[in-house]
Amino acid sequence: MGKIYVLREPRRGDRAWNIYALREAAWLKRWFQGVYYSPRLKRLLAVFKPTPGTHVNMLVFEEMGESVLSDAYRMECPRGCNRCCVFRSGAFILENELRRLPVEVQERIRSQPSELVRTPGGPVRVYRLDTGPMGRCIFFDVEEGRCMLEDYGKHAKPIVCLLTYCTVFATRGGRLYLKRGYRVLRDGRVEMRYEEVDRDTWNRMVARMGSLWSSYRKTFRRAGAGAVKREAKA
């Protein structure tokens, strides 16, 4: 089996370093393979597999054998959940991620609140995307329940969104799993317990997690209808 590159775990309390690591990972988004939970290592692995000759910053990545994924669970983000996007999303995008987006999208992003973070690799401008009502990401389509940035390619989403999972949903070997519990070990690692489920059980959990989005969408529709009525009266 071949080799993979895994993003090193974030440093607790060191935001500047973590933003630097995300910027370096963003350069390799096209080779992003997914996020996996390794029962052996008891950690999440953000996996990239760039083509030979591609520069990889080994300050923020570590090389592993692909065999480490043989018993790993792949984290999934099922359509219909949307919990991470619609409420207190905390979504943001880095300056170096804008270059592949259409000009009008770049302009919209640059109109958002931003800050310049001084990292070990130089300054990085970070644009907030969580400025919608209740912290909703501005690129989340409330009606359709999807990320509008996906219209420009599967790797157009911010690197932080590609790497962030609730860890509830997972697959392994074509089978479906749900997280049933976890415990924090003395060394700080997390041991997660997954249980295989059928499609109906999986869908019920998606609906349960998606109930927040469903409620938000109802409020969104009522607010929209109210705005139309006010405009008509004016």
Side-chain angles (χ1 to χ4, degrees):
M1 302 182 78
K3 62 183 178 181
I4 57 175
Y5 293 91
V6 174
L7 191 64
R8 296 183 187 275
E9 294 183 285
R11 295 182 181 180
R12 185 169 299 180
D14 193 344
R15 183 166 180 261
W17 175 267
N18 295 335
I19 291 294
Y20 169 58
L22 287 175
R23 186 192 70 177
E24 295 303 295
W27 293 120
L28 303 182
K29 277 200 294 188
R30 73 175 73 177
W31 296 290
F32 176 62
Q33 301 294 302
V35 174
Y36 295 79
Y37 173 70
S38 168
R40 278 182 286 166
L41 301 179
K42 294 180 174 53
R43 60 173 280 199
L44 290 169
L45 307 175
V47 177
F48 296 74
K49 194 174 181 181
T51 55
T54 302
H55 172 70
V56 178
N57 185 341
M58 298 308 293
L59 292 175
V60 301
F61 282 95
E62 53 187 309
E63 184 180 318
M64 293 186 181
E66 203 167 5
S67 60
V68 74
L69 302 180
S70 60
D71 65 342
Y73 298 91
R74 189 181 196 278
M75 300 297 101
E76 302 292 347
C77 185
R79 182 61 58 87
C81 176
N82 304 320
R83 181 174 289 258
C84 295
C85 309
V86 76
F87 181 67
R88 296 180 181 175
S89 67
F92 60 85
I93 193 167
L94 308 180
E95 179 70 38
N96 69 321
E97 299 185 83
L98 272 58
R99 70 193 193 286
R100 294 184 180 275
L101 296 173
V103 173
E104 62 272 16
V105 177
Q106 293 185 34
E107 291 176 350
R108 184 180 182 189
I109 292 172
R110 290 196 170 98
S111 70
Q112 296 299 303
S114 69
E115 64 173 315
L116 196 64
V117 179
R118 303 195 179 281
T119 78
V124 177
R125 184 159 295 280
V126 180
Y127 296 91
R128 286 182 55 192
L129 302 181
D130 62 343
T131 54
M134 297 171 59
R136 171 175 59 85
C137 176
I138 62 171
F139 288 108
F140 177 69
D141 187 317
V142 177
E143 281 295 334
E144 296 187 13
R146 66 181 186 87
C147 175
M148 291 183 281
L149 290 178
E150 291 178 341
D151 293 343
Y152 310 109
K154 64 179 181 178
H155 295 130
K157 295 174 68 170
I159 187 66
V160 69
C161 297
L162 293 175
L163 300 182
T164 303
Y165 285 84
C166 66
T167 70
V168 171
F169 303 94
T171 56
R172 185 172 70 174
R175 297 178 177 179
L176 304 175
Y177 292 83
L178 294 176
K179 187 172 71 176
R180 295 307 192 190
Y182 72 94
R183 67 187 181 107
V184 180
L185 305 179
R186 295 179 66 179
D187 60 6
R189 293 181 300 161
V190 177
E191 183 177 70
M192 294 195 281
R193 180 170 60 86
Y194 284 92
E195 178 183 89
E196 185 179 351
V197 298
D198 58 26
R199 175 62 67 176
D200 288 341
T201 303
W202 172 280
N203 289 340
R204 284 196 296 271
M205 180 58 78
V206 172
R208 177 182 171 186
M209 295 289 284
S211 61
L212 179 63
W213 164 54
S214 299
S215 298
Y216 189 101
R217 184 169 58 176
K218 290 178 182 178
T219 303
F220 182 82
R221 287 172 174 171
R222 286 197 296 268
V228 170
K229 289 180 180 179
R230 288 193 296 272
E231 185 176 337
K233 289 181 179 179

